[in-house]
Short mmCIF file of all heavy atoms in Angstrom, two decimals:
data_model
loop_
_atom_site.label_atom_id
_atom_site.label_comp_id
_atom_site.label_asym_id
_atom_site.label_seq_id
_atom_site.Cartn_x
_atom_site.Cartn_y
_atom_site.Cartn_z
N THR Y 51 -10.60 -3.97 -5.09
CA THR Y 51 -11.08 -5.31 -5.41
C THR Y 51 -12.60 -5.33 -5.54
O THR Y 51 -13.29 -4.45 -4.99
CB THR Y 51 -10.63 -6.32 -4.33
OG1 THR Y 51 -11.17 -7.61 -4.64
CG2 THR Y 51 -11.09 -5.91 -2.94
N SER Y 53 -13.94 -7.99 -4.38
CA SER Y 53 -14.11 -9.13 -3.47
C SER Y 53 -14.70 -8.70 -2.14
O SER Y 53 -14.06 -7.96 -1.38
CB SER Y 53 -12.75 -9.78 -3.23
OG SER Y 53 -12.89 -10.92 -2.43
N GLN Y 100 -14.11 -18.52 3.04
CA GLN Y 100 -14.02 -17.81 1.75
C GLN Y 100 -13.32 -18.72 0.77
O GLN Y 100 -13.06 -19.88 1.07
CB GLN Y 100 -13.36 -16.45 1.91
CG GLN Y 100 -11.97 -16.44 2.51
CD GLN Y 100 -11.48 -15.01 2.75
OE1 GLN Y 100 -11.84 -14.37 3.71
NE2 GLN Y 100 -10.64 -14.52 1.85
N GLY Y 101 -12.99 -18.19 -0.41
CA GLY Y 101 -12.45 -19.04 -1.48
C GLY Y 101 -11.20 -19.80 -1.09
O GLY Y 101 -11.07 -20.99 -1.38
N ARG Y 102 -10.27 -19.11 -0.43
CA ARG Y 102 -8.99 -19.77 -0.14
C ARG Y 102 -9.16 -20.92 0.85
O ARG Y 102 -8.35 -21.84 0.87
CB ARG Y 102 -7.95 -18.74 0.30
CG ARG Y 102 -8.21 -18.07 1.60
CD ARG Y 102 -7.41 -16.78 1.74
NE ARG Y 102 -7.95 -15.73 0.87
CZ ARG Y 102 -7.43 -14.50 0.76
NH1 ARG Y 102 -6.36 -14.17 1.44
NH2 ARG Y 102 -7.98 -13.61 -0.03
N GLU Y 105 -9.90 -23.72 -1.39
CA GLU Y 105 -8.68 -24.11 -2.11
C GLU Y 105 -7.77 -24.94 -1.21
O GLU Y 105 -7.14 -25.91 -1.65
CB GLU Y 105 -7.92 -22.86 -2.58
CG GLU Y 105 -8.66 -22.09 -3.66
CD GLU Y 105 -8.15 -20.66 -3.81
OE1 GLU Y 105 -7.20 -20.27 -3.11
OE2 GLU Y 105 -8.71 -19.93 -4.64
N PHE Y 125 -3.95 -18.11 -9.95
CA PHE Y 125 -4.38 -17.07 -9.01
C PHE Y 125 -3.53 -17.22 -7.75
O PHE Y 125 -3.17 -18.33 -7.38
CB PHE Y 125 -5.88 -17.12 -8.69
CG PHE Y 125 -6.25 -15.96 -7.82
CD1 PHE Y 125 -6.27 -14.68 -8.34
CD2 PHE Y 125 -6.46 -16.13 -6.46
CE1 PHE Y 125 -6.52 -13.58 -7.51
CE2 PHE Y 125 -6.72 -15.04 -5.64
CZ PHE Y 125 -6.74 -13.76 -6.16
N THR Y 127 -3.72 -17.11 -4.37
CA THR Y 127 -3.99 -18.02 -3.24
C THR Y 127 -4.14 -19.46 -3.73
O THR Y 127 -3.75 -20.40 -3.02
CB THR Y 127 -5.27 -17.60 -2.48
OG1 THR Y 127 -6.37 -17.58 -3.38
CG2 THR Y 127 -5.11 -16.23 -1.85
N GLU Y 183 -9.89 -21.95 -14.31
CA GLU Y 183 -10.54 -20.75 -13.78
C GLU Y 183 -11.43 -20.13 -14.85
O GLU Y 183 -11.00 -19.89 -15.97
CB GLU Y 183 -9.48 -19.74 -13.33
CG GLU Y 183 -10.06 -18.52 -12.65
CD GLU Y 183 -9.01 -17.46 -12.30
OE1 GLU Y 183 -7.81 -17.81 -12.17
OE2 GLU Y 183 -9.38 -16.29 -12.19
N ASN Y 187 -8.95 -14.08 -13.69
CA ASN Y 187 -8.68 -12.83 -12.99
C ASN Y 187 -7.36 -12.20 -13.45
O ASN Y 187 -7.34 -11.06 -13.92
CB ASN Y 187 -8.67 -13.16 -11.48
CG ASN Y 187 -8.55 -11.93 -10.60
OD1 ASN Y 187 -8.39 -10.82 -11.07
ND2 ASN Y 187 -8.62 -12.15 -9.30
N ASP Y 216 -12.26 -23.13 -10.80
CA ASP Y 216 -12.37 -21.99 -9.91
C ASP Y 216 -13.53 -21.19 -10.50
O ASP Y 216 -13.36 -20.46 -11.48
CB ASP Y 216 -11.08 -21.17 -9.87
CG ASP Y 216 -11.22 -19.98 -8.92
OD1 ASP Y 216 -12.36 -19.55 -8.65
OD2 ASP Y 216 -10.19 -19.47 -8.45
N THR Y 218 -15.28 -18.83 -9.28
CA THR Y 218 -15.50 -17.58 -8.56
C THR Y 218 -16.23 -16.53 -9.40
O THR Y 218 -17.12 -15.84 -8.91
CB THR Y 218 -14.13 -17.04 -8.08
OG1 THR Y 218 -13.62 -17.96 -7.12
CG2 THR Y 218 -14.23 -15.67 -7.48
N ARG Y 219 -15.85 -16.41 -10.67
CA ARG Y 219 -16.51 -15.43 -11.55
C ARG Y 219 -17.12 -16.13 -12.77
O ARG Y 219 -17.12 -15.60 -13.88
CB ARG Y 219 -15.52 -14.33 -11.96
CG ARG Y 219 -15.03 -13.48 -10.79
CD ARG Y 219 -14.14 -12.33 -11.23
NE ARG Y 219 -13.58 -11.58 -10.11
CZ ARG Y 219 -12.52 -11.93 -9.39
NH1 ARG Y 219 -11.87 -13.05 -9.70
NH2 ARG Y 219 -12.09 -11.19 -8.39
N SER Y 256 -15.09 -18.42 -4.44
CA SER Y 256 -15.09 -17.33 -3.48
C SER Y 256 -16.40 -16.59 -3.67
O SER Y 256 -16.62 -15.95 -4.69
CB SER Y 256 -13.92 -16.37 -3.75
OG SER Y 256 -14.14 -15.17 -3.03
N LYS Y 258 -17.44 -14.05 -2.47
CA LYS Y 258 -17.32 -12.60 -2.31
C LYS Y 258 -17.38 -11.86 -3.65
O LYS Y 258 -17.28 -10.65 -3.68
CB LYS Y 258 -16.00 -12.30 -1.59
CG LYS Y 258 -15.90 -13.01 -0.25
CD LYS Y 258 -14.52 -12.92 0.38
CE LYS Y 258 -14.29 -11.54 0.94
NZ LYS Y 258 -13.00 -11.48 1.70
N LYS Y 259 -17.52 -12.60 -4.73
CA LYS Y 259 -17.57 -11.97 -6.06
C LYS Y 259 -18.98 -12.14 -6.65
O LYS Y 259 -19.91 -11.52 -6.16
CB LYS Y 259 -16.49 -12.57 -6.96
CG LYS Y 259 -15.07 -12.08 -6.65
CD LYS Y 259 -14.42 -12.80 -5.52
CE LYS Y 259 -12.94 -12.52 -5.42
NZ LYS Y 259 -12.34 -13.18 -4.24
N MET Y 382 -5.10 -1.70 -7.61
CA MET Y 382 -4.23 -2.78 -7.12
C MET Y 382 -3.19 -3.17 -8.17
O MET Y 382 -3.52 -3.30 -9.34
CB MET Y 382 -5.07 -4.02 -6.80
CG MET Y 382 -4.27 -5.17 -6.22
SD MET Y 382 -5.18 -6.72 -6.20
CE MET Y 382 -6.39 -6.43 -4.94
N ARG Y 407 -5.00 -2.94 -11.66
CA ARG Y 407 -6.39 -3.35 -11.79
C ARG Y 407 -7.31 -2.32 -11.14
O ARG Y 407 -7.14 -2.00 -9.96
CB ARG Y 407 -6.55 -4.71 -11.12
CG ARG Y 407 -7.90 -5.34 -11.33
CD ARG Y 407 -8.00 -6.68 -10.65
NE ARG Y 407 -8.15 -6.54 -9.21
CZ ARG Y 407 -8.43 -7.54 -8.37
NH1 ARG Y 407 -8.58 -8.76 -8.84
NH2 ARG Y 407 -8.56 -7.34 -7.08
N1 LIG C 501 -9.98 -17.40 -6.97
C1 LIG C 501 -10.06 -16.24 -7.63
C2 LIG C 501 -10.16 -16.26 -9.12
C3 LIG C 501 -10.02 -15.03 -6.94
O1 LIG C 501 -10.09 -13.89 -7.61
C4 LIG C 501 -9.92 -15.05 -5.53
C5 LIG C 501 -9.85 -13.83 -4.77
C6 LIG C 501 -9.83 -16.28 -4.88
C7 LIG C 501 -9.88 -17.43 -5.64
C8 LIG C 501 -9.69 -16.38 -3.39
O2 LIG C 501 -10.88 -16.13 -2.79
O3 LIG C 501 -10.43 -14.07 -1.46
O4 LIG C 501 -12.45 -15.48 -1.03
O5 LIG C 501 -10.22 -16.30 -0.39
N2 LIG C 501 -9.64 -12.73 -5.31
C9 LIG C 501 -9.64 -11.43 -4.65
C10 LIG C 501 -9.26 -10.39 -5.64
C11 LIG C 501 -8.84 -11.37 -3.39
O6 LIG C 501 -9.12 -9.24 -5.23
O7 LIG C 501 -9.13 -10.69 -6.83
P1 LIG C 501 -10.99 -15.46 -1.33
#
Side-chain angles (χ1 to χ4, degrees):
T51 177
S53 183
Q100 57 186 80
R102 67 199 72 182
E105 292 162 2
F125 185 71
T127 58
E183 185 184 336
N187 186 355
D216 180 337
T218 294
R219 296 184 184 81
S256 165
K258 303 170 75 173
K259 285 82 168 176
M382 183 194 289
R407 187 180 75 171

